[in-house]
Amino acid sequence: MKNLIVIILLFFLYGCGYTSIYKDQKSKEIFISVINTDGDIVINNYLKNQLNILSDKESVNIFNISFVSKYERTTIAKDSAGVATDYRLVAEIEFNINKNGVSKIIIFTENINIKNEGENFEQRNYENSIKRNFALSIKNKLVTYLINFDDN
């Protein structure tokens, strides 16, 4: 009886039609040329490196991109002594995308609330890790947008 339930369960899960939204990103060849960057250095460098790794130099789909990143750290809670205990980190990147003379501007935003770790070194490393995660997430959103650029 247990085997029958497992087989039926696998049959339904296998046929559910799930596919990853990033599945076809590598099959679609694009070349991304980063023309200009401005704003937060950590986010910009990581994002630029990720876009260079993704780019296919043989592709005919050429995108010229410039972007400006904004990074904010705001205090959202303090303890009784007035020391910040919680922060909100927000990264916003405005992309100016140009392909074959068609230019579009798009903005992606990521945010997270974090606790204050206390020590400056550990806090700075943690925030830099979050900045890299923001850049990776925004890169995935950008690539999805670029793959469907002609449809927009």
Side-chain angles (χ1 to χ4, degrees):
M1 184 66 177
K2 288 183 182 180
N3 290 338
L4 181 62
I5 293 172
V6 171
I7 292 172
I8 291 172
L9 183 63
L10 286 175
F11 177 74
F12 283 114
L13 288 177
Y14 182 74
C16 74
Y18 170 79
T19 57
S20 172
I21 61 172
Y22 302 119
K23 178 185 139 232
D24 294 330
Q25 281 186 358
K26 292 185 180 177
S27 66
K28 188 94 169 189
E29 297 172 349
I30 58 175
F31 177 73
I32 301 169
S33 174
V34 178
I35 306 298
N36 189 22
T37 64
D38 193 22
D40 187 82
I41 294 171
V42 173
I43 293 174
N44 290 354
N45 286 341
Y46 194 74
L47 183 58
K48 187 175 179 181
N49 288 339
Q50 289 296 311
L51 292 174
N52 284 336
I53 291 169
L54 176 83
S55 291
D56 179 14
K57 296 187 189 313
E58 304 295 321
S59 176
V60 295
N61 293 323
I62 300 171
F63 294 93
N64 295 315
I65 294 178
S66 60
F67 60 89
V68 177
S69 64
K70 296 176 188 170
Y71 176 76
E72 292 181 5
R73 174 181 156 184
T74 56
T75 303
I76 57 174
K78 294 182 180 182
D79 63 9
S80 60
V83 177
T85 58
D86 294 341
Y87 296 107
R88 173 176 295 253
L89 306 179
V90 179
E92 178 181 282
I93 302 181
E94 179 180 319
F95 292 96
N96 185 351
I97 304 166
N98 190 330
K99 179 185 179 189
N100 299 331
V102 176
S103 185
K104 292 186 181 180
I105 295 176
I106 188 162
I107 299 171
F108 294 113
T109 305
E110 292 288 331
N111 64 65
I112 190 172
N113 295 341
I114 63 168
K115 297 275 186 196
N116 186 0
E117 295 295 323
E119 294 186 33
N120 288 336
F121 180 73
E122 289 180 13
Q123 186 73 22
R124 193 175 18 219
N125 286 341
Y126 183 52
E127 285 185 33
N128 284 337
S129 173
I130 290 172
K131 286 181 182 182
R132 287 190 297 273
N133 289 336
F134 282 167
L136 185 61
S137 174
I138 290 173
K139 184 238 1 166
N140 289 335
K141 291 177 184 180
L142 176 67
V143 170
T144 301
Y145 180 82
L146 294 177
I147 288 172
N148 299 313
F149 186 79
D150 296 329
D151 298 339
N152 295 329

